[in-house]
Amino acid sequence: MTNAVSTPSRSKALSGLAAILFAATSFATTAMAVTPEEIKAKGTATIGVQMDQFPWGFIDSKGGNDGFDIEIAKMIAKELGVEVKFERITGQNRIPLLVNGNVDFLVPSMTITEERAKVIQYVIPYSSNDITVWGKTDAAIKGNEDLSKYVIGVNRGSAFEPLLVKVAPKGTQIKRFDDDATTVQSLLSGQVDAILGSVTYGLVIKETGYDKQFERKYKVADNFQGMAVRKGDKELLAFLTDFITKHTADGSLDALYKKWIAVDRAKLPTELPGVDFTGKQ
């Protein structure tokens, strides 16, 4: 199995991440620490969430925020005894918004990576989003070695893109799209034979009535997701860690995951290589 399909594309993706981390770092010295008591005192928790990524966070037909992350954020605010204010985040702005103090913390369905952990403080994983290959039902794709026989689509700039470049055999034809929605649409419209991305792509495929023509081929990798606070926000880190631990034990996070993602929530780790969840490093 060879690694690189397109070295310039991989370098571009890594450069983009570096730019985001640099921008975040430039704000880090001015960010104020936030504790649960300070949030309670002001009466509002400003939480960064996605607003355009069904089923994680989206705007419903009535114009309100809904989704897996939204419900969790509301649970956290309720336990703090405060109102919740949602701040829209994107893959590009979420880290700067956090370290610059525009939000108190993130509930972002964000992949936990060593690079991001150098800038932000992750809480132990609360969710996962298996990285999956979806393809035409009649496409003979059983593993990474089969990808070179087909045209594969992926969301450019996502965590999925560098992984695809890494695992796909040399010569694999990769087409990149601007976001998850256009990536899924590329499969449904026949622009590509298969796509690599979120396990939740299956919800969109089923919702649009294409679940007979397209199917989940295989899991490529785990994709653990974490909430995040600023470096040094140890009390808030402890509060959110306790929240996840408590609601894992009582089954409420499992129930929400099953409700929104339609599969069982995986058993999540409390330790990952290169990532400090304790706030001591």
Side-chain angles (χ1 to χ4, degrees):
M1 185 75 64
T2 55
N3 288 337
V5 174
S6 174
T7 301
S9 297
R10 188 176 186 187
S11 298
K12 183 178 179 182
L14 293 174
S15 297
L17 176 59
I20 293 170
L21 297 180
F22 176 79
T25 305
S26 68
F27 294 122
T29 56
T30 60
M32 297 289 290
V34 174
T35 68
E37 292 305 315
E38 289 171 336
I39 294 175
K40 291 175 183 179
K42 68 178 182 176
T44 303
T46 303
I47 305 176
V49 296
Q50 297 182 98
M51 295 187 184
D52 57 1
Q53 293 293 336
F54 177 86
W56 308 104
F58 62 97
I59 305 299
D60 64 20
S61 60
K62 298 180 180 179
N65 294 95
D66 207 355
F68 176 73
D69 287 338
I70 301 299
E71 288 207 50
I72 289 178
K74 289 178 178 178
M75 287 173 60
I76 296 170
K78 183 177 180 180
E79 293 200 6
L80 286 166
V82 299
E83 298 294 320
V84 62
K85 175 185 177 183
F86 294 119
E87 184 75 23
R88 181 180 182 271
I89 61 170
T90 65
Q92 290 72 40
N93 73 11
R94 57 194 173 193
I95 292 177
L97 284 177
L98 175 63
V99 298
N100 195 33
N102 296 90
V103 298
D104 295 322
F105 55 93
L106 300 175
V107 182
S109 287
M110 177 170 59
T111 301
I112 297 171
T113 70
E114 290 186 51
E115 292 81 6
R116 292 169 180 164
K118 295 173 183 176
V119 179
I120 59 176
Q121 175 62 59
Y122 279 114
V123 189
I124 57 173
Y126 72 108
S127 178
S128 64
N129 185 9
D130 292 348
I131 300 177
T132 301
V133 169
W134 298 88
K136 296 177 180 177
T137 304
D138 59 359
I141 302 175
K142 297 182 179 180
N144 295 331
E145 63 277 7
D146 298 320
L147 297 179
S148 61
K149 305 171 189 174
Y150 300 93
V151 180
I152 312 299
V154 71
N155 177 357
R156 69 163 56 88
S158 68
F160 309 136
E161 182 184 10
L163 178 63
L164 177 58
V165 170
K166 180 180 179 181
V167 303
K170 184 177 181 180
T172 300
Q173 185 178 350
I174 297 174
K175 287 191 175 182
R176 295 165 173 83
F177 300 91
D178 289 336
D179 52 35
D180 289 328
T182 54
T183 301
V184 175
Q185 184 57 36
S186 74
L187 177 65
L188 303 185
S189 64
Q191 297 177 64
V192 298
D193 301 303
I195 54 178
L196 182 146
S198 169
V199 68
T200 58
Y201 287 179
L203 297 175
V204 179
I205 292 170
K206 183 176 181 179
E207 182 69 21
T208 51
Y210 285 93
D211 50 318
K212 300 298 182 183
Q213 295 100 309
F214 304 95
E215 64 182 8
R216 183 181 183 181
K217 294 299 185 179
Y218 66 99
K219 174 181 172 180
V220 178
D222 292 314
N223 182 14
F224 300 121
Q225 299 169 320
M227 304 177 192
V229 302
R230 284 176 287 278
K231 294 284 190 180
D233 286 359
K234 294 183 179 181
E235 292 180 44
L236 188 54
L237 172 63
F239 176 86
L240 293 174
T241 300
D242 180 69
F243 174 89
I244 294 168
T245 302
K246 178 171 57 178
H247 291 296
T248 293
D250 68 17
S252 54
L253 293 185
D254 289 332
L256 278 178
Y257 193 88
K258 188 65 176 283
K259 170 185 174 180
W260 286 106
I261 316 303
V263 295
D264 290 332
R265 192 173 71 123
K267 181 175 176 59
L268 302 175
T270 56
E271 296 181 355
L272 288 173
V275 180
D276 168 43
F277 294 117
T278 67
K280 296 178 181 178
Q281 297 180 13

